Structure formats: structure tokens, C-alpha cells
Amino acid sequence: ESPPPPYSRLSPNDEQKPLDLSDSTLSYTETEATNSPNVTPGDFSDASTSPDAVKRSHWCNVAYWEHRTRVGRLYTVYEQSVSIFYDLPQGNGFCLGQLNLENRSETVRRTRSKIGYGILLSKEPDGVWAYNRSEHPIFVNSPTLDIPNCRTLIVRKVMPGYSIKVFDYEKSCLLQHTADLDYADGPYDPNSVRISFAKGWGPCYSRQFITSCPCWLEILLSNNR
């Protein structure tokens, strides 16, 4: 299996080295993750300003949440990859630092300060990959990351500089007819991905539900809808 191309859009000259494939959730890393933030402004295209955006269909919408409150509008993605970050001058994409909300808690403020370069979300032939460009872990759950026939929520921890296939198209097709709709933390969407910044949730954490996380993303995929 070859590494997917998300990193090449950031550091084309960096060698991509596969890790131990026995851990399929953390399959690949860059040679030097610290080099990844060196991005020129033209490396990412802002979906809202791209002249070709109206001519193409979008492949996902991104919602940003703070606990149980959705902040800002849905961000529609037309380009093959999108950078989701806090408030940095490098690159274009979904800037979470520009989303205003009154009376933020101190917990949310601290977590927002850890988003930094955030993530690179990339649509590839085999699925959707997320590359953690921040200096803190991200936590991910999706229907295709769950273990089949397991009733325990599976949340994957992805360290800085690593990527994970957050959604597998082939697995998704197999799961369409076997999905367990009994989810305690809200409606079940077989074409969505949840990503929390810095804070984990689920059976292994004090936060049982992602709505208890200070800052998180909901990726609503349109490819299978």
C-alpha cells in the first residue's frame, strides 16, 4: 500500500515513510512533521472564492462545534483538500479563529488556542484522510473506523505529524445495510466524521460524548448521499 498524497501538497520534497502497518489507524508520517507548517499562501484554495467552485459539486460540508453549540455556518468544500486551522496567515481554508461566539468558557478558549495549524482534510480515491498539522493530538470517530459488530464507540487518537484514513469508501458501502442506529449521543449519520481537537471522548475518557468536547468538527460527506 502506498502513502496517500496529502503531505505532498504541503512538502513535495519530503520523503513519506510508512510506519508499522500492524497499526492501521496511524499508517504514515512525514520525515519531519515540523516542516509541514511551511506553506505558501497559494497551496490551499478557499472554496468560497474559487472561480470554478460553482461549476463543481462539493464533496463535503464542515461544521464547527463548541460543546453542543454549532458556531458559524457550514463550510462547503469543493477542492480536493482543505486546510482547517485556527488563525494563521499561511494558507487558505476554514479559519476557525474568525468564528465569533459570546461568552465562551475558559475551557473552550484554552482548547481553541491549541488548534494552531489544525488539520488537512483530503479526498483521495480510497477515502478521506486527515493529517494532523497541529502540536496536539486530534481524536477521530467515523462509521468506517468502528469495529464491525462492536457496540463500543471507537475513538482513534492521532498524534501531531500523523495521518489517518477517517473514512473508507469501500467499507462505507458494506456498512450501509448493516449500520447499528442505536447511538446514545445523537442521530447516527453513516456518512459523517467527527474530529475533536486536543480532547478525547468515549469509553476511555471522562467525556462520554463528543458534545462534551470543547472544540470539534463534524465532516458531512456528500459522496454516498
Side-chain angles (χ1 to χ4, degrees):
E1 186 177 8
S2 300
Y7 323 120
S8 63
R9 301 191 180 98
L10 295 169
S11 308
N13 297 323
D14 283 350
E15 181 183 0
Q16 300 165 6
K17 293 184 178 180
L19 298 178
D20 181 0
L21 295 181
S22 62
D23 184 357
S24 61
T25 64
L26 300 177
S27 299
Y28 304 102
T29 182
E30 285 191 302
T31 304
E32 296 184 42
T34 54
N35 288 339
S36 61
N38 297 330
V39 186
T40 58
D43 282 350
F44 300 106
S45 295
D46 189 332
S48 62
T49 60
S50 171
D52 297 327
V54 293
K55 301 178 183 178
R56 289 172 291 172
S57 60
H58 67 282
W59 63 271
C60 78
N61 286 304
V62 182
Y64 169 65
W65 295 77
E66 294 177 359
H67 294 298
R68 292 179 175 271
T69 302
R70 198 184 87 187
V71 184
R73 298 180 179 180
L74 288 177
Y75 186 89
T76 303
V77 181
Y78 298 90
E79 305 293 340
Q80 188 176 359
S81 64
V82 60
S83 180
I84 304 172
F85 53 94
Y86 180 64
D87 192 14
L88 297 170
Q90 293 92 344
N92 298 316
F94 191 8
C95 181
L96 304 180
Q98 294 181 343
L99 302 179
N100 297 319
L101 182 67
E102 295 182 1
N103 302 320
R104 279 193 171 102
S105 69
E106 184 60 31
T107 300
V108 170
R109 293 179 186 276
R110 286 197 304 267
T111 304
R112 279 170 63 85
S113 70
K114 296 178 180 179
I115 295 174
Y117 287 96
I119 65 171
L120 175 69
L121 201 64
S122 179
K123 182 179 185 292
E124 306 299 334
D126 61 341
V128 178
W129 288 75
Y131 170 38
N132 184 4
R133 303 177 62 223
S134 74
E135 297 180 356
H136 299 272
I138 60 172
F139 298 83
V140 182
N141 168 261
S142 85
T144 64
L145 287 175
D146 282 332
I147 299 174
N149 302 320
C150 177
R151 298 188 65 85
T152 301
L153 180 72
I154 305 297
V155 177
R156 310 289 187 183
K157 182 179 182 179
V158 186
M159 299 301 292
Y162 287 80
S163 73
I164 182 175
K165 187 195 294 186
V166 296
F167 195 85
D168 186 300
Y169 295 143
E170 185 175 351
K171 283 185 179 180
S172 176
C173 293
L174 297 175
L175 292 172
Q176 290 294 328
H177 303 293
T178 60
D180 184 354
L181 304 181
D182 185 20
Y183 269 55
D185 61 340
Y188 173 85
D189 187 340
N191 295 305
S192 69
V193 178
R194 295 172 173 182
I195 301 176
S196 174
F197 292 105
K199 304 295 183 180
W201 83 98
C204 299
Y205 299 90
S206 59
R207 304 168 192 82
Q208 292 299 297
F209 310 121
I210 195 169
T211 49
S212 300
C213 294
C215 305
W216 58 282
L217 301 172
E218 186 176 25
I219 316 298
L220 304 168
L221 303 172
S222 60
N223 59 295
N224 292 326
R225 295 181 189 275

